[in-house]
Each structure stands twice: as structure tokens, then as C-alpha cells.
């Protein structure tokens, strides 16, 4: 995350959501162009404060990110996540934002924990 916050870093873009302009970050998304591709971007991290989950913060961050990517000529957004039960709500969130499973690498993180690659075409 420190690298992503380095001023003028061309590899990462970060959007933040604040608490109604009163200060305090309630969420962020970090993304960037995928090296050696044309028009493909990676969504690296998205997080929101648990006190605002279900209030549209994540959806607003994704919407802002996708708008920025469209302006940059993005074709595909790629996201990696875990197949464990703990990541079920995360996968549900991405599904609600129209991200679809493109591939699965079995036992990637550890035995029984697959890497799932999701994607959305813009």
C-alpha cells in the first residue's frame, strides 16, 4: 500500500470515500493498468469500514473506478479472490457488480483454497 500511495506513481490509482465530507475515510479502491496488456486493468484492493457496509460505499467506489477506466480506454477489469467461505460475501459483492468468474486455480493459496479470477468487460 505504501508503494501505491507514493506521489505521482503511474502504476496505481486510489479513490477514497469519506464520511459525508466530515473527515474520516470509510472506504478505498486501488487499481492500475495490467503490465504488458492493452486495455486491461487490475482491481488490487477494495475495502470499506464495517460500519458502512451495505450502504453503497463499495458500489460507489467501483462505479468511480470503472468510469475512470472507461476514460482511459479500459476493456477488461480483472480481480483475484479466494474461494474460501470467508470470502463468500466478497464474491457476492463482485457478482452484484457484474463481475464473472473467468478462471480458477485449484489449491493456489493452500490445499482447499482456490484462486478465483473474476473479470468484467467494459
Amino acid at each position: 500500500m505504501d508503494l501505491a500511495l507514493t506521489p505521482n506513481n503511474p502504476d496505481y490509482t486510489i479513490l477514497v470515500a469519506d464520511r459525508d465530507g466530515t473527515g474520516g475515510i470509510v472506504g478505498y479502491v486501488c487499481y492500475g493498468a495490467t503490465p504488458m496488456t492493452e486495455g486491461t486493468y487490475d482491481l488490487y484492493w477494495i475495502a470499506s469500514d464495517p460500519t458502512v457496509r451495505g450502504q453503497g460505499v463499495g458500489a460507489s467506489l467501483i462505479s468511480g473506478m470503472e468510469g475512470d477506466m472507461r476514460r482511459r480506454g479500459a476493456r477488461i477489469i480483472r480481480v483475484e479472490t479466494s474461494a474460501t467461505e470467508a470470502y463468500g460475501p466478497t464474491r457476492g459483492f463482485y457478482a452484484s457488480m457484474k463481475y464473472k468468474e473467468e478462471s480458477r486455480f485449484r489449491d493456489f493459496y493452500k490445499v482447499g483454497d482456490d484462486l478465483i479470477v473474476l473479470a468484467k468487460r467494459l
Side-chain angles (χ1 to χ4, degrees), residues 61-83:
L61 288 166
I62 293 289
S63 178
M65 176 194 74
E66 290 176 356
D68 182 44
M69 287 182 180
R70 282 185 179 93
R71 286 187 291 280
R72 296 177 189 215
R75 300 177 303 111
I76 299 170
I77 305 168
R78 186 178 73 104
V79 183
E80 294 183 357
T81 191
S82 168

Side-chain angles (χ1 to χ4, degrees), residues 12-63:
Y12 300 97
T13 299
I14 296 176
L15 301 178
V16 298
D18 68 9
R19 195 177 303 275
D20 298 325
T22 60
I25 293 173
V26 294
Y28 71 91
V29 63
C30 178
Y31 57 96
T34 307
M36 300 185 294
T37 68
E38 292 180 6
T40 302
Y41 282 72
D42 285 303
L43 189 169
Y44 295 114
W45 304 288
I46 184 168
S48 63
D49 186 313
T51 64
V52 299
R53 295 229 173 106
Q55 297 178 25
V57 170
S60 292
L61 288 166
I62 293 289
S63 178

